[in-house]
Amino acid sequence: MAKVAVIGGGNVGATLAHVLAQGDVASTVTLVDVVEGLPQGKALDMREAGPIQDFDCAVTGTNDAAAGVAGADVVVMTAGLARKPGMDRMDLLKKNLDIVAGAMRAVKEKAPDAVVVMVTNPLDVMTWVALRVTGFPRERVVGMAGVLDSARMRAFIAMELGVSVVDVSAMVLGGHGDTMVPLPRYSTVNGVPITELLPAEAIDRISNRTRAGGAEIVNLLKTGSAYYAPATCSAQMVEAVLKDRGHLLPACVALEGEYGERDICLGVPVILGSRGVRKVVELRLTESEKAILKKSADSVRKGIEEVRGLLG
Ligand code: NAD
């Protein structure tokens, strides 16, 4: 079976490693982190859960990124720093850029055939950085954000209607931030669009709550950000690749003219399988949907231009 390397053994990375181990999708899951002992300790702790949770997955931990990613079929990038007192937005961006670029150089050298799933924020910008540094084809560098934003919207729709989340699907496109684009027309309960089931006021409320979904959790936690849903959503993407499932899901990918955009990584529907993105799906959008997607793309493009200068 396959090997998955998870770079960053913090909240998202470690939770993801545990979800993957329980899901029995890979024979090896390797956690990579710069903090001495942390990935090793968390990996050992997870292995000790194996006898109870009935998994044999070899979860290992290392501080050596090159060794950790070597030969991986899928690499998930979750390493990053949170903003510290005295650090401005640009300082944080530079730090995370260094972390992502360093890790991606190791991936390019040691896991040249891997599919890379980016999680580190700012997501769309860091997906673009990963693509640039690895030089991989766009099919093999995808960002996880749309699955999370859609999962949040699905949860809110289910809560509003009192129906099972299993019956609810939702589609959220665009950048991972407050310009994201929830699409009620493409969000359904067992095939019935929510526009047939809910008044406009409720749909607006759900769309706004989805856009602010990350901040809602940060405000509650006070320190740190969401990780159960982000880890689970990342695991779904890893599984789509390892099992060649062909899931149609929103993911951040480099656009080559689709949706009228190029030289940008943006959340759009894709079909995800063993070699990464099989296809970018172009939805027919209304003029107002196109306008808000364009606004979202413009905001992501601004972020990319900032790091383009820093990357050299
Ligand atoms: P965290 O602080 O708990 O974990 C980050 C880990 O990265 C830490 O353990 C740290 O030691 C490690 N790290 C730092 N530099 C490293 C390096 N060079 N190599 C290896 N490891 C390194 O943070 P978290 O909650 O796990 O979040 C991780 C990232 O994911 C953040 O950038 C966060 O904003 C992002 N995130 C994205 C989404 C999304 O939807 N895309 C959702 C949630 C979180």
Side-chain angles (χ1 to χ4, degrees):
M1 264 212 289
K3 169 174 172 172
V4 180
V6 179
I7 307 177
N11 281 339
V12 176
T15 309
L16 167 64
H18 193 199
V19 172
L20 291 173
Q22 291 171 83
D24 215 17
V25 288
S27 54
T28 307
V29 173
T30 302
L31 263 184
V32 179
D33 202 287
V34 283
V35 178
E36 217 170 290
L38 180 129
Q40 295 87 344
K42 288 190 179 181
L44 180 60
D45 192 12
M46 282 179 222
R47 287 200 85 160
E48 291 165 1
I52 309 300
Q53 294 189 301
D54 194 19
F55 64 76
D56 291 303
C57 178
V59 189
T60 62
T62 178
N63 302 118
D64 180 344
V69 302
D73 299 282
V74 180
V75 176
V76 188
M77 180 64 190
T78 77
L81 294 185
R83 198 187 293 196
K84 299 202 174 79
M87 224 186 205
D88 68 16
R89 198 187 64 83
M90 207 56 184
D91 295 334
L92 180 69
L93 186 67
K94 281 185 193 154
K95 282 257 179 254
N96 281 340
L97 176 63
D98 283 349
I99 291 171
V100 170
M104 289 304 123
R105 281 192 277 273
V107 172
K108 179 182 182 169
E109 192 186 335
K110 300 289 182 184
D113 298 319
V115 173
V116 176
V117 178
M118 292 299 298
V119 180
T120 305
N121 276 321
L123 189 273
D124 309 273
V125 173
M126 290 304 165
T127 303
W128 183 86
V129 170
L131 190 70
R132 275 288 290 264
V133 174
T134 58
F136 287 1
R138 70 163 178 164
E139 289 75 16
R140 287 201 284 120
V141 182
V142 284
M144 189 292 295
V147 179
L148 174 63
D149 299 328
S150 304
R152 285 179 172 149
M153 187 165 174
R154 288 170 66 186
F156 301 148
I157 292 168
M159 289 176 201
E160 184 77 21
L161 286 168
V163 299
S164 168
V165 284
V166 174
D167 292 337
V168 182
S169 66
M171 187 55 74
V172 181
L173 307 186
H176 184 52
D178 48 18
T179 64
M180 73 177 73
V181 186
L183 291 180
R185 286 191 318 121
Y186 286 106
S187 302
T188 69
V189 181
N190 249 340
V192 183
I194 60 165
T195 44
E196 301 291 317
L197 299 169
L198 287 167
E201 168 278 318
I203 292 175
D204 282 351
R205 189 161 27 81
I206 288 169
S207 295
N208 289 336
R209 192 174 178 190
T210 301
R211 282 191 197 96
E216 185 175 0
I217 307 258
V218 168
N219 289 338
L220 288 166
L221 294 181
K222 313 281 190 297
T223 58
S225 53
Y227 53 100
Y228 291 111
T232 314
C233 294
S234 306
Q236 186 189 41
M237 293 180 71
V238 172
E239 193 189 331
V241 172
L242 293 181
K243 294 193 174 170
D244 197 19
R245 292 289 295 265
H247 279 303
L248 191 161
L249 40 78
C252 179
V253 65
L255 296 181
E256 293 173 353
E258 297 93 347
Y259 294 91
E261 300 289 345
R262 53 179 70 247
D263 198 15
I264 188 175
C265 291
L266 195 67
V268 294
V270 303
I271 298 178
L272 198 60
S274 63
R275 300 310 304 142
V277 173
R278 280 189 205 160
K279 188 178 168 33
V280 173
V281 178
E282 281 205 79
L283 300 176
R284 239 176 299 166
L285 300 180
T286 64
E287 289 308 314
S288 72
E289 288 164 348
K290 278 184 198 162
I292 45 176
L293 186 62
K294 168 89 175 52
K295 203 169 144 206
S296 188
D298 288 346
S299 133
V300 169
R301 184 165 284 112
K302 237 170 103 184
I304 289 175
E305 289 316 317
E306 274 177 352
V307 294
R308 195 195 295 274
L310 296 172
L311 246 192

